[in-house]
């Protein structure tokens, strides 16, 4: 039996969604989805209110997902203009720099003006409705401004995480044919500089990137960079003389808002496409309900805008709700392990949302750095990105939240746009490590490997049997891949790629990915991506990559490498290959272990048996399972004998 943390009394009384509301509203939302979501859509300002609410089929032969189809709106106007009358002077963004001496508050009025000016600058450079714009930026307000400016003129942004390599950036630019790149001279994290502009320069030498006409550069650190005329333009120079008003482009609810690349189990990263109306309804409503948002809250989500959490719950959700959102440029342990808690005190943060990996890393530093700050302003804590182990949950609750703040463990994905399974803090009792119950309108189910829906308490693969407004609509440029990836495994259902357990109270417990995706410190990576980076090295013949348990990161990366004939393994070569992967993809993808594999375990038809490699990496050599289909069983014994330990 797991421990239950009941809704705190202080929450129960004042919450946005109360105890007796949840069951009633949930039942209503799944009985009449169109009626329910028609009501929720009224929270936005529509240029033309939608009358056709939901038109969805999960049948692979006729797949379509449309919400609010005939509605017309502008996302940026909903995040800015409509707040000006009542909240013009309210702080929209609190920027907290990597350097603790640097912070800045931007009001809704100021943010509106800056976004309009940048939108005008984009138009002046020839960016039109439907054009793609890459944003490769540090966590600075200009990143949010660039996103909102795109939304204002109907351009589609593609934010690429600033930690990605020139090659990764180039691949994403090429896939969606971006016309313009917005970047900064350099980023800074934990006192270390990241050469963003130099990376863009390198990316644009790669094939397939000639669609880029202009690079806009924010002067952030003032570090020396090369500007190439006429391609490169300074942000501050472009902004001079731009008008501070720019009429918002009327967009159809189903017009694209952004593309965000994410890793899958096969091939290159997929361009997940989200559209305007349903996405904004969903992220603003989930943000309000899950975080129990009130007018005077100071909300801080530590995610980078390079990930979906940064899109939905740093920028779009909070701003659509007229909230004050913190943008943090730095890292949890700089200048020291007290940084998060110092920032909470400094800006009187009330709602705090971060990743389990950060909690586990800070937990290692003990309670003293936490106790250095009062954290008196906090009233709610949240987690996202990976399963949180009970020890980390308890520590977050007892030490960070002083036992008074409820925790919302929010399960969702880049594809889902927003939170699908989470406690509502005033309505749903928490159980440590369980994401608890589905949000309104969300219909999860657990299926066995044949796709049969299981009832009651059970374990299996997690699917969603109906749509929600924030669902992705397609893979950019490859609709067939969208259908094949998500709707073919279990016909008529959206397959999440996650395993889950449901307990006797109907609570969901996410057990992790069941496909070849690994979750390293909350960052999603395809094992195939790391493998193709490794085999791109001239000395590597073959590689297989699996996840392995890691105390802080949740999962680490375990790589098996077969060298080309005649190449001798050495520690120097191991280091070289690890460094190679960092450079090819990103430091996130750095292998934790790299084991030489004279050969890999394969079936007689030549398929690598990853299941076996996973067990070896997990140090469970006695649980290899059926090995009778191996072409050469001695291969496995060799690998077990040579397993790496740190
Ligand atoms: C995968 C999605 C959700 C935005 C950030 C990650 C895992 C996410 C939880 C959670 C257990 C979680 C799943 C999911 N995941 N949240 N609360 N508990 N697992 O988005 O990069 O698209 O990754 O993250 O495995 O499928 P993403």
């Amino acid at each position: 039996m797991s421990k239950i943390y009941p809704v705190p009394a202080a929450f129960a009384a004042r919450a946005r969604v109360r105890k007796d509301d949840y069951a009633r509203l949930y039942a209503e939302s799944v009985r009449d989805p169109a009626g329910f979501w028609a009501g929720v859509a009224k929270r936005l300002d529509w240029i033309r209110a939608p009358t056709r609410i939901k038109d969805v089929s999960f049948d692979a032969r006729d797949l379509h997902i449309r919400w609010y189809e005939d509605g017309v709106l502008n996302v940026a106007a909903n995040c800015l203009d409509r707040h000006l009358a009542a909240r013009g002077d309210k702080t929209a963004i609190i920027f907290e720099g990597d350097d603790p001496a640097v912070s800045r508050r931007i009001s809704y009025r100021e943010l509106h003006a800056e976004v309009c000016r940048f939108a005008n600058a984009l138009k002046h450079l020839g960016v039109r409705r439907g054009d793609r714009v890459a944003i490769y930026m540090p966590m600075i307000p200009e990143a949010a401004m660039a996103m909102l400016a795109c939304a204002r003129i109907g351009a589609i942004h593609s934010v690429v995480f600033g930690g990605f390599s020139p090659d990764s950036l180039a691949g994403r630019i090429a896939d969606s044919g971006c016309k313009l790149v917005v970047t900064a001279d350099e980023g800074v994290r934990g006192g270390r500089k990241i050469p963003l502009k130099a990376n863009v320069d390198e990316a644009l030498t790669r094939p397939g990137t000639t669609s880029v006409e202009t690079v806009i550069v924010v002067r952030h650190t003032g570090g020396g960079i090369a500007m190439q005329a006429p391609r490169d333009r300074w942000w501050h120079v472009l902004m001079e003389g731009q008008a501070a008003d720019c009429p918002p482009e009327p967009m159809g609810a189903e017009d694209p808002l952004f593309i965000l690349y994410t890793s899958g189990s096969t091939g290159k990263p997929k361009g997940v496409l989200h559209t305007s109306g349903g996405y904004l309804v969903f992220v603003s409503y989930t943000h309000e309900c899950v975080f129990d948002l009130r007018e005077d809250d100071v909300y801080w989500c530590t995610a980078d805008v390079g990930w979906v959490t940064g899109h939905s719950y740093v920028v779009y959700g909070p701003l659509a709700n007229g909230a004050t959102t913190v943008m943090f440029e730095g890292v949890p342990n700089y200048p020291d392990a007290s940084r998060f808690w110092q920032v909470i005190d400094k800006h009187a943060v009330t709602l705090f949302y971060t990743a389990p990996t950060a909690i586990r890393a800070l937990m290692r530093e003990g309670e003293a750095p936490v106790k250095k700050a009062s954290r008196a302003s906090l009233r709610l804590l949240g987690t996202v990105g990976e399963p949180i182990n009970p020890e980390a949950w308890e520590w977050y609750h007892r030490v960070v939240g002083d036992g008074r703040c409820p925790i919302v463990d929010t399960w969702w994905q880049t594809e889902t746009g927003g939170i699908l399974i989470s406690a509502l803090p005033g309505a749903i009792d928490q159980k440590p490590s369980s994401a608890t119950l589905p949000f309104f309108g969300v219909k999860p189910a657990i299926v066995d490997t044949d796709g049969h829906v299981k009832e009651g308490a059970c374990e299996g693969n997690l699917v969603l049997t109906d749509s929600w407004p924030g669902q992705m609509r397609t893979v950019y440029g490859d609709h067939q891949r969208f259908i094949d990836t998500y709707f073919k495994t279990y016909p008529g259902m959206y397959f999440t790629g996650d395993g889950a357990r449901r307990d006797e109270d109907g609570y969901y417990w996410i057990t992790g990915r069941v496909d070849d995706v690994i979750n390293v410190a909350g960052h999603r990576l395809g094992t195939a991506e790391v493998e193709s980076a490794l085999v791109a090295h001239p000395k590597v013949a073959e590689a297989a990559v699996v996840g392995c348990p890691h105390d802080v990161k949740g999962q680490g990366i375990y790589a098996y490498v077969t060298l080309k004939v005649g190449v001798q393994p050495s520690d120097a070569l191991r280091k070289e290959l690890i460094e190679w992967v960092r450079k090819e993809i990103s430091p996130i993808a750095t292998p934790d272990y790299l084991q030489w594999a004279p050969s890999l375990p394969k079936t007689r038809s030549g398929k690598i048996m990853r299941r076996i490699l996973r067990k070896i990496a997990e140090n469970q050599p006695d649980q290899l399972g059926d090995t009778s289909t191996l072409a050469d069983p001695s291969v496995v014994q060799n690998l077990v004998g040579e397993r790496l330990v740190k």
Side-chain angles (χ1 to χ4, degrees):
M1 275 304 286
S2 66
K3 215 162 151 184
I4 295 186
Y5 285 77
V7 170
F11 251 85
R14 291 188 56 192
R16 288 249 174 209
V17 182
R18 309 220 177 148
K19 263 209 141 153
D20 7 311
D21 298 334
Y22 173 73
R24 181 179 50 80
L25 284 170
Y26 181 78
E28 226 170 79
S29 71
V30 293
R31 183 174 39 79
D32 175 19
F36 181 83
W37 289 110
V40 178
K42 298 203 170 93
R43 59 190 294 106
L44 298 187
D45 272 7
W46 296 85
I47 297 166
R48 189 168 79 215
T51 63
R52 284 152 63 189
I53 306 302
K54 181 187 180 209
D55 179 9
V56 171
S57 163
F58 277 4
D59 181 343
R61 288 158 304 182
D62 173 35
L63 189 96
H64 59 271
I65 301 163
R66 295 181 204 115
W67 286 90
Y68 308 119
E69 219 182 320
D70 59 346
V72 176
L73 81 169
N74 182 279
V75 166
N78 272 283
C79 292
L80 301 167
D81 308 42
R82 67 176 178 143
H83 304 313
L84 293 181
R87 300 183 177 114
D89 296 320
K90 180 174 175 176
T91 301
I93 295 177
I94 299 176
F95 169 65
E96 170 73 17
D98 185 61
D99 174 350
V102 175
S103 63
R104 175 181 162 205
R105 299 176 86 93
I106 301 167
S107 69
Y108 271 94
R109 197 181 324 284
E110 289 162 334
L111 185 61
H112 174 264
E114 294 294 286
V115 168
C116 285
R117 290 166 71 206
F118 194 61
N120 283 327
L122 290 175
K123 283 211 269 192
H124 164 77
L125 292 165
V127 178
R128 301 281 171 260
R129 187 184 170 115
D131 286 345
R132 277 79 59 213
V133 172
I135 299 177
Y136 182 67
M137 295 274 264
M139 272 295 280
I140 56 177
E142 286 83 351
M145 290 170 190
M147 292 164 75
L148 291 161
C150 288
R152 194 160 191 95
I153 64 172
I156 306 169
H157 60 70
S158 166
V159 182
V160 179
F161 174 56
F164 276 124
S165 66
D167 278 323
S168 300
L169 172 62
R172 287 158 171 80
I173 289 172
D175 185 75
S176 52
C178 294
K179 196 167 185 177
L180 187 143
V181 181
V182 188
T183 190
D185 47 6
E186 296 172 311
V188 208
R189 278 163 63 85
R192 288 189 21 224
K193 303 263 170 74
I194 301 142
L196 295 174
K197 172 59 166 62
N199 287 351
V200 172
D201 290 342
E202 204 180 324
L204 296 184
T205 64
R206 302 289 192 269
T209 56
T210 50
S211 54
V212 175
E213 293 165 8
T214 311
V215 176
I216 301 179
V217 187
V218 174
R219 179 173 280 157
H220 180 49
T221 63
I225 54 161
M227 293 290 276
Q228 286 178 33
R231 188 194 70 184
D232 300 347
R233 314 285 294 258
W234 285 108
W235 171 292
H236 60 275
V237 174
L238 268 173
M239 291 284 266
E240 276 166 26
Q242 298 295 344
D245 71 286
C246 167
E249 184 77 16
M251 302 298 288
E254 284 298 345
D255 283 335
L257 177 63
F258 66 83
I259 302 167
L260 183 60
Y261 287 85
T262 193
S263 299
S265 45
T266 55
K268 15 169 230 165
K270 296 184 279 276
V272 167
L273 185 102
H274 282 287
T275 57
S276 304
Y279 173 79
L280 200 65
V281 168
F282 195 70
V283 298
S284 72
Y285 188 48
T286 48
H287 180 256
E288 180 180 288
C289 296
V290 172
F291 298 101
D292 189 52
L293 186 72
R294 298 194 203 131
E295 193 57 49
D296 53 0
D297 274 317
V298 175
Y299 163 85
W300 181 19
C301 165
T302 65
D304 191 284
V305 288
W307 311 112
V308 74
T309 312
H311 284 62
S312 301
Y313 299 114
V314 175
V315 178
Y316 288 117
L319 295 179
N321 288 335
T324 297
T325 183
V326 176
M327 277 184 88
F328 176 46
E329 185 186 19
V331 293
N333 58 357
Y334 177 84
D336 58 49
S338 190
R339 184 68 189 274
F340 272 2
W341 328 122
Q342 300 297 331
V343 173
I344 287 171
D345 279 7
K346 177 173 172 186
H347 299 300
V349 170
T350 56
L351 313 171
F352 180 67
Y353 189 32
T354 195
T357 188
I359 299 166
R360 286 191 297 264
L362 294 171
M363 194 173 137
R364 288 192 151 189
E365 308 285 334
E367 298 184 14
V370 188
K371 297 281 160 74
K372 277 209 303 207
S374 88
R375 292 154 288 109
S377 53
L378 283 177
R379 67 181 191 90
L380 174 109
L381 302 171
T383 74
V384 61
E386 41 171 331
I388 181 165
N389 49 309
E391 301 70 35
W393 196 103
E394 299 277 356
W395 186 83
Y396 197 32
H397 188 263
R398 178 176 56 81
V399 181
V400 177
D402 281 328
R404 22 172 210 94
C405 304
I407 295 180
V408 289
D409 174 351
T410 63
W411 175 83
W412 57 296
Q413 311 178 295
T414 305
E415 293 89 335
T416 71
I419 296 164
L420 296 197
I421 304 182
S422 169
L424 298 179
I428 298 173
D429 297 337
Q430 304 135 55
K431 298 186 189 183
S433 295
S434 169
T436 78
L437 298 173
F439 189 73
F440 303 130
V442 173
K443 289 174 74 177
I446 293 183
V447 295
D448 64 19
T449 40
D450 298 326
H452 297 122
V453 174
K454 296 175 144 188
E455 303 294 339
C458 61
E459 185 164 347
N461 291 342
L462 183 66
V463 298
L464 297 152
T465 61
D466 200 356
S467 184
W468 59 98
Q471 185 171 21
M472 76 181 280
R473 301 299 196 259
T474 191
V475 170
Y476 187 82
D478 196 350
H479 194 62
Q480 194 56 45
R481 189 168 174 201
F482 177 55
I483 300 171
D484 294 346
T485 308
Y486 303 103
F487 300 95
K488 286 259 171 91
T489 320
Y490 303 115
M493 305 172 195
Y494 167 86
F495 178 40
T496 62
D498 279 324
R501 181 166 74 76
R502 189 172 48 219
D503 69 16
E504 57 290 348
D505 297 323
Y507 277 44
Y508 287 85
W509 304 70
I510 309 298
T511 52
R513 302 289 306 198
V514 295
D515 53 7
D516 288 318
V517 168
I518 46 182
N519 193 328
V520 181
H523 301 311
R524 184 165 153 182
L525 281 171
T527 52
E529 263 175 282
V530 185
E531 287 164 7
S532 59
L534 281 166
V535 295
H537 189 281
K539 292 182 178 162
V540 174
E542 206 171 19
V545 169
V546 296
C548 62
H550 190 287
D551 285 350
V552 173
K553 297 196 278 190
Q555 275 192 301
I557 301 178
Y558 199 111
Y560 299 87
V561 172
T562 308
L563 295 170
K564 285 196 178 148
V565 177
V567 180
Q568 285 310 310
S570 66
D571 283 345
L573 181 56
R574 176 180 284 132
K575 283 207 187 88
E576 182 183 326
L577 292 181
I578 291 174
E579 193 52 33
W580 170 270
V581 176
R582 275 176 82 90
K583 289 246 168 68
E584 287 274 308
I585 307 176
S586 148
I588 302 163
T590 309
D592 296 278
Y593 301 92
L594 194 149
Q595 176 172 353
W596 305 120
S599 40
L600 292 166
K602 291 184 185 167
T603 60
R604 284 180 203 98
S605 60
K607 234 182 129 222
I608 294 176
M609 294 182 74
R610 297 167 166 286
R611 172 176 61 80
I612 290 179
L613 293 175
R614 247 180 250 130
K615 288 292 173 202
I616 298 174
E618 286 165 6
N619 201 15
Q620 298 182 323
D622 47 339
Q623 289 174 38
L624 297 181
D626 180 12
T627 53
S628 63
T629 53
L630 274 171
D632 175 6
S634 70
V635 167
V636 171
Q637 282 326 309
N638 285 336
L639 290 179
V640 170
E642 303 278 305
R643 183 184 175 273
L644 299 170
V645 274
K646 252 189 199 165

